[in-house]
Amino acid sequence: MPDTILRSNSSTSLPETRTRAAELAVLVPLPDLEANDNQAHMPPQQPESKMFELPAAIWRVMVACYAIFLIALLGATGGAHAGFAIVISALYVAMFFGSARLVLRQAPPQERNTLNRPGAVLQTIYGPLARREVYAQVLIVPAAVALFGIAISVISAVLA
């Protein structure tokens, strides 16, 4: 590169660079740049093919654990003192599991879950998990919540 280019003022360009830029503008046509192109036709998109990949038995056990928790709380409090709060909590649990059910119903029909097959594994970002490991990781919190409700009920019965 000649020294004149390095030492020249940046606002003025040399004549050979101006002509080269003009040549490139003629050779390379620019497409129409419009931010909102409503005329373009989008190709049809495939629906999501992956689901929660958890067997229905896991969902049933989770619902049962939360039901045990709420029933234990209802029994521990006698129903009258905290009945309204427990009913509200039951509605939240129903909304949580109900919304997941509604989302699953919107999806196209799926093949049978991979974890229902013997020896199957669930692929996670940390590596494959066997069926027992999936059950243990998913159900540890609901089981702890159910045991917490039972413990509250036992403590309430012992102190009464």
Side-chain angles (χ1 to χ4, degrees):
M1 181 178 288
D3 289 337
T4 56
I5 293 176
L6 294 174
R7 292 188 189 128
S8 65
N9 188 357
S10 62
S11 64
T12 60
S13 59
L14 296 174
E16 60 267 8
T17 58
R18 271 189 243 128
T19 57
R20 181 71 181 143
E23 289 174 9
L24 287 176
V26 171
L27 295 176
V28 180
L30 294 175
D32 280 341
L33 298 176
E34 184 179 334
N36 186 6
D37 188 11
N38 292 331
Q39 303 301 322
H41 296 286
M42 297 295 295
Q45 296 181 357
Q46 293 286 32
E48 180 68 30
S49 63
K50 291 286 186 182
M51 300 306 279
F52 293 122
E53 295 190 36
L54 295 176
I58 288 181
W59 292 96
R60 287 188 201 107
V61 171
M62 279 195 288
V63 170
C65 287
Y66 288 112
I68 289 169
F69 171 71
L70 294 174
I71 291 169
L73 282 183
L74 194 63
T77 60
H81 301 304
F84 182 71
I86 292 172
V87 168
I88 297 296
S89 298
L91 289 174
Y92 277 118
V93 170
M95 286 189 323
F96 175 77
F97 288 107
S99 62
R101 180 112 173 136
L102 288 174
V103 167
L104 284 173
R105 285 188 178 175
Q106 299 298 318
Q110 297 289 314
E111 64 184 40
R112 195 175 162 160
N113 192 292
T114 57
L115 285 178
N116 288 336
R117 298 183 200 119
V121 295
L122 178 68
Q123 291 297 330
T124 67
I125 61 172
Y126 300 109
L129 291 177
R131 183 181 177 140
R132 294 178 77 169
E133 295 167 336
V134 171
Y135 273 71
Q137 284 193 7
V138 172
L139 295 177
I140 191 73
V141 171
V145 169
L147 290 175
F148 177 66
I150 292 170
I152 290 173
S153 183
V154 167
I155 291 169
S156 175
V158 167
L159 295 178

